[in-house]
Amino acid sequence: MEQKILLTAGPICTSMRVKEAMLRDLGTRDHEYQDMVEQLRNELLQLAHVDADTHSVVFLQGSGTYGVESVLDSSVGKKGKVLILSNGAYGERMEQICIAHGISHQMQSFSKLEALPVEQLESYIKEDSITHVAFIHCETTAGVLNDLEAILKLTHKYHKRSIVDAMSSFGSMEMNLKELDMDFLITSSNKCLHGVPGVAIIYGKQEAFQQCEGNADNLAMDLYKQWAEMEASRGAFRFTSPTHVLLALNEAVKELKEQGGIAVRHDHYVFLQKKIQDTMKELGFEAPVKREEQAPVITTYFIPEWMDFSHFYDWMKERDILLYSGKLPGYHAFRIGNLGDLSVSDIERTLDEIRVYVGEYGPKSGKPSMVEE
Ligand SMILES: *Cc1c(COP(=O)(O)O)cnc(C)c1O
């Protein structure tokens, strides 16, 4: 079975040991499984530098979006009003969630190619009617990293609850949730934690989970109920747990620790990304996002005039490398993710193939333009 190189920013490549950890069937209500889940929750708290006195980690079946939807619906509910600070598709998804549930919200959209302009945010955050502020840490749309600390400083100043979608950043850089002091942080198993897709991970203050009681307008994604069950029964899910996904995540977290933890993973990502950035620049690709605002997990490039992206994509795919198409309306762009179980040689092979492609079809190849008009 050939292994593809996924540069798609979720799902991502997983190691053999993570895949092998799934070769077991465990009962969702068996204590062996629940003990593993409970232990994993504690490991995850440690990764975020918090403990169970003040914080909790709740798993929710589904992809990352399920986690975001559960938090917005259960925390903001029908009584609050959330300010969404958006600079990409995932901010827009938060708005769609609010519309679907009839949650009061105020949408503030900013450039998708730049970090949120912190100096402009205060006037929106201080509004009396706003109870919650929601934003994305790494906006995976263009891979822009927002200034988490600065924005949280503002939410604290005005005593607003904070909801941070850190889906594609948690695990890629150290985050001390005690110091950052947000109410909720949402991530998922299949991004920088290097697990398989199937579960959303919701960090929150115990008090913030408590406050969700009675707010959700549905049963399966009621965060209060999910939290209360997990706390009371130590690791139990209310409904069938994605047991294999949790076994994989458990192994992935072990692997992360053995590799040296989040700081080491961060350095590895930065190393891979710099290789990508240096070679792509040399090959004439233009990056629309400033280097210092580009998150360490993904890099966005404009599709050059001469290139037909779908041809490029298929050509790379024939070589078992999956690129990440763009998600930027109004721009011709694509992305290269470097998260997941990727080695230096995986990235070198990718860049060698891109070099061959540019030589074959690029502006100096002498071939007619690939762009179809
Ligand atoms: C991946 C991702 C999500 C979740 O997307 P799913 O398709 O539901 O897994 C949410 N927010 C951000 C910023 C992401 O990168």
Side-chain angles (χ1 to χ4, degrees):
M1 211 178 351
E2 101 292 339
Q3 178 66 50
K4 289 208 173 3
I5 297 180
L6 301 181
L7 306 169
T8 51
I12 41 81
C13 286
T14 55
S15 67
M16 195 48 73
R17 64 184 273 193
V18 166
K19 285 189 264 283
E20 280 170 358
M22 291 184 285
L23 301 176
R24 288 175 78 198
D25 303 312
L26 286 176
T28 192
R29 300 209 171 272
D30 180 72
H31 74 86
E32 184 187 352
Y33 177 69
Q34 284 182 17
D35 289 350
M36 188 276 285
V37 173
E38 189 62 7
Q39 175 67 23
L40 177 57
R41 291 174 73 219
N42 284 323
E43 293 287 347
L44 288 169
L45 288 175
Q46 278 175 33
L47 275 186
H49 307 281
V50 284
D51 54 52
D53 293 343
T54 54
H55 287 72
S56 181
V57 171
V58 173
F59 295 121
L60 185 70
Q61 301 91 322
S63 77
T65 303
Y66 290 64
V68 177
E69 182 156 356
S70 167
V71 171
L72 285 169
D73 182 46
S74 306
S75 181
V76 186
K78 302 293 186 285
K79 296 176 222 144
K81 178 174 179 184
V82 61
L83 168 67
I84 302 167
L85 302 170
S86 169
N87 57 336
Y90 293 102
E92 286 163 5
R93 193 174 294 178
M94 285 180 164
E95 182 187 31
Q96 289 165 7
I97 290 168
C98 290
I99 292 168
H101 290 272
I103 297 167
S104 299
H105 62 283
Q106 181 179 333
M107 179 73 172
Q108 291 300 331
S109 300
F110 301 90
S111 164
K112 294 184 167 79
L113 296 176
E114 287 167 85
L116 287 169
V118 173
E119 66 291 345
Q120 290 175 41
L121 305 180
E122 186 160 1
S123 62
Y124 302 112
I125 293 172
K126 72 178 183 195
E127 262 304 308
D128 282 342
S129 62
I130 298 296
T131 56
H132 293 64
V133 178
F135 61 98
I136 319 294
H137 183 206
C138 166
E139 219 335 325
T140 323
T141 309
V144 171
L145 194 64
N146 290 316
D147 189 340
L148 186 58
E149 214 177 320
I151 300 170
L152 289 172
K153 218 172 243 166
L154 292 172
T155 62
H156 294 143
K157 182 172 171 189
Y158 295 101
H159 306 288
K160 311 295 184 184
R161 286 202 185 270
S162 45
I163 298 171
V164 180
D165 170 346
M167 214 68 70
S168 64
S169 60
F170 190 82
S172 76
M173 58 187 73
E174 283 287 359
M175 281 183 218
N176 184 319
L177 298 202
K178 189 158 241 141
E179 285 167 12
L180 288 166
D181 197 34
M182 72 275 278
D183 290 282
F184 293 104
L185 177 147
I186 307 121
T187 188
S188 88
S189 54
N190 66 291
K191 299 227 170 160
C192 304
L193 293 174
H194 296 188
V196 302
V199 75
I201 303 166
I202 301 157
Y203 282 95
K205 295 186 200 170
Q206 297 283 12
E207 168 274 328
F209 284 111
Q210 188 74 53
Q211 166 270 333
C212 292
E213 185 169 11
N215 288 342
D217 64 10
N218 69 88
L219 180 71
M221 288 163 66
D222 184 328
L223 187 60
Y224 174 82
K225 291 203 168 96
Q226 191 84 348
W227 166 79
E229 174 77 9
M230 232 165 240
E231 288 288 314
S233 316
R234 297 180 47 82
F237 281 69
R238 285 180 299 154
F239 311 123
T240 301
S241 163
T243 49
H244 300 83
V245 175
L246 269 287
L247 283 166
L249 181 62
N250 187 51
E251 194 63 30
V253 169
K254 267 192 208 156
E255 183 182 56
L256 170 61
K257 274 174 77 177
E258 283 169 27
Q259 287 171 348
I262 289 175
V264 171
R265 180 157 296 175
H266 173 81
D267 291 347
H268 179 63
Y269 284 169
V270 168
F271 184 80
L272 297 183
Q273 187 181 42
K274 183 161 189 310
K275 258 189 187 304
I276 293 167
Q277 288 171 327
D278 290 350
T279 304
M280 292 299 278
K281 188 171 178 192
E282 183 205 319
L283 294 176
F285 287 91
E286 228 185 297
V289 176
K290 283 191 219 130
R291 261 200 191 205
E292 63 273 21
E293 291 187 351
Q294 189 87 72
V297 292
I298 195 166
T299 314
T300 297
Y301 290 101
F302 284 129
I303 297 170
E305 277 286 318
W306 57 267
M307 180 186 272
D308 171 0
F309 182 74
S310 65
H311 180 272
F312 177 45
Y313 179 89
D314 291 343
W315 192 91
M316 293 295 282
K317 190 178 161 185
E318 276 170 30
R319 286 147 187 86
D320 291 325
I321 299 167
L322 292 194
L323 292 167
Y324 201 22
S325 59
K327 211 182 202 179
L328 279 164
Y331 298 97
H332 252 29
F334 70 100
R335 298 167 287 178
I336 302 181
N338 57 272
L339 63 164
D341 184 54
L342 295 171
S343 64
V344 174
S345 67
D346 290 331
I347 294 299
E348 282 172 349
R349 185 164 95 70
T350 298
L351 295 170
D352 287 347
E353 297 289 8
I354 295 177
R355 191 187 295 280
V356 171
Y357 187 87
V358 172
E360 187 95 347
Y361 300 100
K364 296 195 189 83
S365 68
K367 289 193 182 164
S369 164
M370 292 294 302
V371 180
E372 301 155 35
E373 289 302 342

